């Protein structure tokens, strides 16, 4: 599962929580950090995919898609930055190195042979849909208190 994979990556790198003055229990902070880290993996992967599409798209709509994928890249990086800052604020260490991102992402595999505008649109649509799905699930889990440690808010 995504949570188990993220948890294992954090354990493998010796990720420990740093003390903060935030009045949230350690268990809840830990669960939130794991939840956010999983989304950081996806956001960093999404940014990489946007550049892959930006660099390699071909077709009659090249200029429009080339610019769109570049804008999406900027947006994905901003989301990743915001998520990483939340992790650190909660006392965690944001993890975004390429190998860790590759191991932790939940996004579908991006086709390396994609060159046509249709192939990149399909791949990016699938990536964005998956990213959005897991962001919505994370928000829902936080709102209902269903984190990796149960109902501890």
């Amino acid at each position: 599962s995504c949570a188990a994979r993220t948890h294992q990556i954090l354990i493998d790198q010796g990720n420990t929580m740093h003390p903060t003055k935030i009045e949230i229990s350690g268990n809840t902070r830990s669960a939130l950090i794991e939840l956010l880290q999983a989304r950081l993996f996806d956001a960093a992967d999404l940014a990489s995919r946007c550049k892959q599409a930006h660099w390699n798209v071909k077709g009659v709509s090249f200029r429009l898609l080339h610019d769109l994928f570049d804008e999406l890249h900027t947006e994905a990086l901003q989301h990743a930055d915001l998520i990483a800052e939340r992790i650190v604020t909660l006392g965690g260490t944001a993890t975004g190195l390429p190998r860790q991102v590759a191991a932790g992402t939940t996004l579908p595999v991006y086709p390396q042979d994609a060159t046509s505008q249709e192939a990149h649109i399909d791949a990016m649509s699938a990536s964005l849909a998956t990213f959005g799905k897991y962001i919505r699930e994370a928000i829902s889990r936080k709102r209902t208190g269903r984190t990796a440690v149960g109902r501890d808010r």
Side-chain angles (χ1 to χ4, degrees):
S1 82
C2 173
R5 192 169 53 234
T6 301
H7 183 75
Q8 190 58 51
I9 291 168
L10 294 176
I11 288 172
D12 290 348
Q13 72 179 32
N15 203 346
T16 58
M17 241 183 356
H18 306 286
T20 71
K21 297 196 185 279
I22 296 174
E23 295 177 4
I24 300 174
S25 76
N27 285 343
T28 299
R29 285 190 304 125
S30 179
L32 289 171
I33 288 166
E34 282 191 30
L35 188 140
L36 288 167
Q37 183 59 62
R39 302 299 54 92
L40 178 56
F41 288 146
D42 287 351
D45 189 20
L46 182 63
S48 170
R49 291 158 185 258
C50 292
K51 269 303 181 189
Q52 181 71 16
H54 169 81
W55 292 328
N56 292 293
V57 69
K58 294 175 179 61
V60 295
S61 299
F62 164 78
R63 174 54 51 200
L64 177 69
L65 292 172
H66 182 77
D67 293 344
L68 173 64
F69 295 143
D70 205 30
E71 288 174 31
L72 289 171
H73 174 258
T74 299
E75 291 291 324
L77 284 178
Q78 289 174 347
H79 284 293
D81 192 52
L82 187 63
I83 293 167
E85 289 169 357
R86 296 299 186 271
I87 290 169
V88 173
T89 298
L90 289 167
T93 300
T95 302
L97 296 172
R99 287 184 185 174
Q100 294 158 328
V101 169
T105 188
T106 61
L107 301 183
V109 174
Y110 197 92
Q112 292 183 6
D113 61 347
T115 56
S116 72
Q117 63 187 30
E118 293 81 9
H120 285 293
I121 290 169
D122 286 345
M124 287 304 302
S125 294
S127 297
L128 287 164
T130 301
F131 182 74
K133 171 188 170 188
Y134 286 118
I135 288 288
R136 287 186 299 278
E137 285 180 10
I139 291 167
S140 176
R141 283 176 47 193
K142 171 57 182 103
R143 283 187 181 147
T144 62
R146 290 181 298 120
T147 60
V149 295
R151 293 204 154 278
D152 180 19
R153 287 190 196 207

